[in-house]
Amino acid sequence: MKCLLLIYFTLTCFISISDCNPSLSYYDESWILFKRTYNKEYNSIDDELNRRIIWEKNVKMIEKHNFEADSGIHTYTMKVNQFADLTLDEFVKQMNTLKINDRKQENKKFEIPSNINLPSSIDWRTKGWVTPVKNQGQCGSCWAFSVTGSLEGQYAKKSAKLISLSEQQLVDCSAKYGNAGCNGGFMDQTYQYIIDNHGIDSEDSYPYEAFDRPCRFNSTNVVTNISSFVDVKSQSEMDLQYAIATVGPVAVAIDAQHDSFRFYSSGVYSEPDCSSTNLDFSLLVVGYDTTKDNVDYYILKSQWTTQWGNQGYVWMSRNKNNQCGIATMASYPLI
């Protein structure tokens, strides 16, 4: 009988924490669930208390936003994710470390093809040109993921083989090109590194570790090289859309230093405080489309796992005055 009571009590506690401890509030339960979901551990009681305060402030902000979204004030929703115990400043310093160059070098420029009508929608995931959503971890390597994403698409286009490429190689081996590993990097300089290095290894042969390591590039594991790279006309959404439609997935940079982006969940993202020039995060455009309500959007692939956003993706406003700088610094490699 005692065993049965113990089993019953255990199951009841599993179903509802507050049933076993009526003193727990809604936020107490949610905090426990948050730590379990994202495997959060803290160095001390004081550290956890501080993180709990930050987390609860973020949760209340998200709840307020979603209430307003339900009322039609916003076109997108937000949700609690792995970044909820960080302040905005901590998040930006840890995750958004794209570096911007002045583009004085003579790169190839994208030219809109003649006699081609822009399709109303495109999604390169359906063609097998996009690898699954990856995990950047606590490393400021967004620049490496956007480069590999665009190159993976071009390699799939040419070879009909989708192979995940090594971000860790770019983190470890491209310092001479101005990159700083987990402390940030440049997209254009990274393309140049791959050209000069005569290729990039596969993810399988040079797996991602989310911290800086000595360079271990092995030429026998090279998947592909690139011959050059192309910069899309800055701030031209028309050029960007033609590039997406005719070339494939394109690397882009945006202003992502906003709580609204950090906690994005679903819908078409639109941030009135976004800058079109102060860019700090890079990701991959894999297509574009229009909602049933006639709202245009780009389909952007992030590298914050499928727990972030809409299964790792965000719908960014399209044809809305270069929202968040989506068309300011777009590029892609040529094989």
Side-chain angles (χ1 to χ4, degrees), residues 12-28:
T12 305
C13 289
F14 181 79
I15 293 169
S16 176
I17 298 171
S18 61
D19 288 343
C20 302
N21 188 347
S23 65
L24 290 178
S25 70
Y26 161 76
Y27 289 109
D28 292 328

Side-chain angles (χ1 to χ4, degrees), residues 122-286:
I122 190 76
D123 187 344
W124 292 114
R125 294 175 295 181
T126 65
K127 304 294 184 180
W129 292 11
V130 182
T131 56
V133 173
K134 301 182 183 183
N135 184 6
Q136 179 181 335
Q138 295 183 349
C139 171
S141 54
C142 62
W143 52 277
F145 285 87
S146 57
V147 167
T148 58
S150 58
L151 184 49
E152 287 162 354
Q154 291 306 296
Y155 183 74
K157 180 180 181 180
K158 181 176 181 179
S159 69
K161 296 178 182 179
L162 182 62
I163 298 178
S164 184
L165 301 175
S166 176
E167 294 82 19
Q168 191 65 43
Q169 177 188 334
L170 304 181
V171 168
D172 295 342
C173 305
S174 62
K176 291 183 179 179
Y177 292 77
N179 294 332
C182 285
N183 291 314
F186 303 87
M187 288 189 289
D188 280 4
Q189 279 91 322
T190 304
Y191 293 129
Q192 191 61 53
Y193 157 75
I194 296 173
I195 294 171
D196 296 344
N197 189 64
H198 305 296
I200 182 171
D201 288 349
S202 67
E203 191 91 61
D204 286 343
S205 66
Y206 201 148
Y208 188 67
E209 298 179 70
F211 57 89
D212 299 317
R213 292 286 305 277
C215 180
R216 289 156 288 149
F217 168 72
N218 186 336
S219 61
T220 62
N221 296 322
V222 164
V223 174
T224 183
N225 192 10
I226 61 178
S227 59
S228 60
F229 57 96
V230 177
D231 289 332
V232 180
K233 183 179 179 181
S234 184
Q235 302 194 38
S236 171
E237 286 199 63
M238 182 60 68
D239 285 63
L240 174 59
Q241 289 168 75
Y242 269 100
I244 297 167
T246 60
V247 173
V250 174
V252 294
I254 64 169
D255 171 15
Q257 51 192 326
H258 304 276
D259 282 322
S260 56
F261 188 83
R262 172 167 55 144
F263 297 120
Y264 167 85
S265 177
S266 64
V268 178
Y269 180 75
S270 179
E271 171 54 65
D273 292 331
C274 253
S275 169
S276 62
T277 56
N278 186 21
L279 315 181
D280 65 344
F281 182 62
S282 59
L283 58 175
L284 189 71
V285 184
V286 301

